[in-house]
Amino acid sequence: MRIEPIATDLLIVGSGFAGLWAAISAREAGVGRVAVVDKAAIAMSSQSRLCAGATIYCLPEDDSEVWLRDIVEANGFLSRQPLVAEILETSYGRLRKLEEWGVSYPAPEGVYARIPSRGLPHVKMMVVPRFRDRVGGSAVVDALRRRAIRAGIRQHPRILVTDLLQREGRIAGAVGLDRTTAEPIAFAARAVLLATADCSFRGNYVCTDPTTGDGFRLAYDQGARLSNMEFLCTNTGSPTFGFEGTGVALKWGGRLLNAAGESFMEHYHPDANAAEIHELTQAMAREAEKGHGPPFYLEMGDAWKRRIGPALAGIGGFMPVNLTRLEAEGVDLAKRQEWVPAVQSLRGGVRIESDGQSDLPGLFAAGMAEALDPGLFNGWSTMRAMGSGERSGRGASEYLRSDAPISPDAEQIAELVTRAVEPMDRKAVGGPRPDVLIERVQALIFAPKVSILKRGESLEAALEAVEDLRVATLPDLAARDPHELVKLHEARNMIQVAEMFLRASLARTESRGSHFRIEHPELDNERWLSWINLRKGEGGKM
């Protein structure tokens, strides 16, 4: 199948905070043709839009060295420290730019209103950003989207990128599918910047359905290294409805209870219910092993109406909309609610250099697609997304100034397009449907002995099952329509990322942050104060 590619200088995959900042930064640095592609609506369906918009900004009066130490220590000393320092030092400049573009943060009497970032002793974040009639993450992303339009950045919504193009050892573009029609599309690009979301395996945490590891698999297939893939952050939530804000609830009066209705966090951590999220889920798993659950419960009581509810209702993003919906459906959050551990986010990503470039010339990464640190803290994900996007967009522009133009190979485009649409052409509809395949991956990864309190034998068994899905099941699956075709490709991505997670988890024989190995419960800096890098080897083996 011959496809005439759309020509651009820089192709950015993903249109959240990182992707939009990268696009704007590249255009400001002189890149002539910048295009943004997203598998959903540009900007307005990203994780960035759904978040509350809490963001860490290091102001001139703050001690960036102290903040850097907080962040590095909280991440188990596995942060890329020079990159974190650069993001901190440039954050005030991004704040000023956002304000110039119309975003405002509360500043009573001329002083920014800031609150502590949970888990970081000195670091503070700003909340409730506003832009026109929007509040929260949607306010910031809308301002960035409008800025990108003014800058002449081309937009390609509802395109799932299925593979990248490479020629003479350099990136040369990408191929993808229109998710509504399954029509193939190709891009000839001198550089590609991955600004996709992380991977939650369509996790049981709120708003994580689109985070299917797309960028991780794209980079891996090109031979780029990925790091920190063993760090899968879990959170807590309701098994029956979406809720984001457990951290606020547990800090301001909420309690986790076991099946007997007893508060238990006091037995596991000195901060009790205000402990970090991985401490909460690990304690829930230990209570379950003792026969004290499930079920577990979240009890907020009077604190819900007095403090927690009003705080979440005014913070923006997904939360206030969801609270209105829950109230309409008769859910009373002041009453005790069943609560469970939930998979939220895999915190690894593409290993990049100081300019945001991977091992492969012309392939860049930013935001949740790059490996920066393995932790999850209030306001930090937003900050790192915007900061890394700005940096990688600038790095891509420098690469394009020095790189000679290269065109993709027509035969490679045809081969990858054929592979992308092939499941639609298969006559036999054997094997499970893509949604059943996704459920199998979830059952493997969501098991507490695989995701929370990791046991070697459980990881090995899950790895064997995931390899079987990748080798024996996935190649023969058929898709009946464009929607199923997209789900099949997302399942393919999740299966590949699940294998990365399991192999890295087996390799790290210590416990650090959200990675807890039952057989190796202690921190081991002598052997494991290092990154585990994964890359595609000969014959496709990891």
Side-chain angles (χ1 to χ4, degrees), residues 27 32-34 147-154:
R27 284 289 290 132
R33 299 174 300 176
V34 178
R147 188 71 184 179
I149 291 172
R150 290 181 58 187
I153 294 161
R154 289 180 288 177

Side-chain angles (χ1 to χ4, degrees), residues 29-60:
V31 178
R33 299 174 300 176
V34 178
V36 175
V37 60
D38 197 294
K39 67 179 180 180
I42 298 294
M44 304 314 287
S45 58
S46 67
Q47 293 289 294
S48 301
R49 180 181 182 274
L50 296 172
C51 77
T55 306
I56 293 168
Y57 293 108
C58 189
L59 305 183

Side-chain angles (χ1 to χ4, degrees), residues 188-220:
R190 296 168 55 209
V192 171
L193 192 155
L194 299 174
T196 52
D198 41 46
C199 188
S200 72
F201 309 98
R202 293 200 184 280
N204 51 337
Y205 190 70
V206 66
C207 301
T208 57
D209 275 2
T211 57
T212 53
D214 307 339
F216 297 160
R217 201 271 305 162
L218 290 171
Y220 174 81

Side-chain angles (χ1 to χ4, degrees), residues 54-167:
T55 306
I56 293 168
Y57 293 108
C58 189
L59 305 183
E61 62 266 28
D62 298 318
D63 190 331
S64 61
E65 289 295 324
V66 171
W67 285 33
L68 176 63
R69 185 167 63 247
D70 275 2
I71 292 169
V72 170
E73 289 180 359
N75 281 290
F77 296 93
L78 290 185
S79 297
R80 300 286 300 280
Q81 293 190 36
L83 301 182
V84 173
E86 191 263 348
I87 289 174
L88 280 171
E89 291 162 4
T90 58
S91 63
Y92 181 64
R94 285 187 296 280
L95 170 61
R96 297 297 296 144
K97 279 187 176 182
L98 285 174
E99 290 177 328
E100 290 173 10
W101 300 339
V103 177
S104 64
Y105 290 85
E109 300 181 4
V111 178
Y112 290 117
R114 300 197 288 173
I115 61 175
S117 173
R118 186 180 183 191
L120 303 173
H122 302 93
V123 178
K124 296 179 181 180
M125 61 182 181
M126 291 160 57
V127 297
V128 199
R130 296 181 181 275
F131 177 76
R132 299 191 176 189
D133 60 342
R134 297 186 181 275
V135 182
S138 63
V140 178
V141 82
D142 192 28
L144 291 172
R145 181 182 65 87
R146 292 172 185 270
R147 188 71 184 179
I149 291 172
R150 290 181 58 187
I153 294 161
R154 289 180 288 177
Q155 301 180 13
H156 299 275
R158 295 176 294 281
I159 301 295
L160 176 70
V161 174
T162 56
D163 288 284
L164 301 181
L165 300 169
Q166 187 178 149
R167 189 172 186 183

Side-chain angles (χ1 to χ4, degrees), residues 168-198:
E168 299 175 6
R170 292 184 288 165
I171 280 293
V175 298
L177 297 169
D178 185 309
R179 64 177 301 143
T180 59
T181 66
E183 287 296 316
I185 186 172
F187 296 91
R190 296 168 55 209
V192 171
L193 192 155
L194 299 174
T196 52
D198 41 46

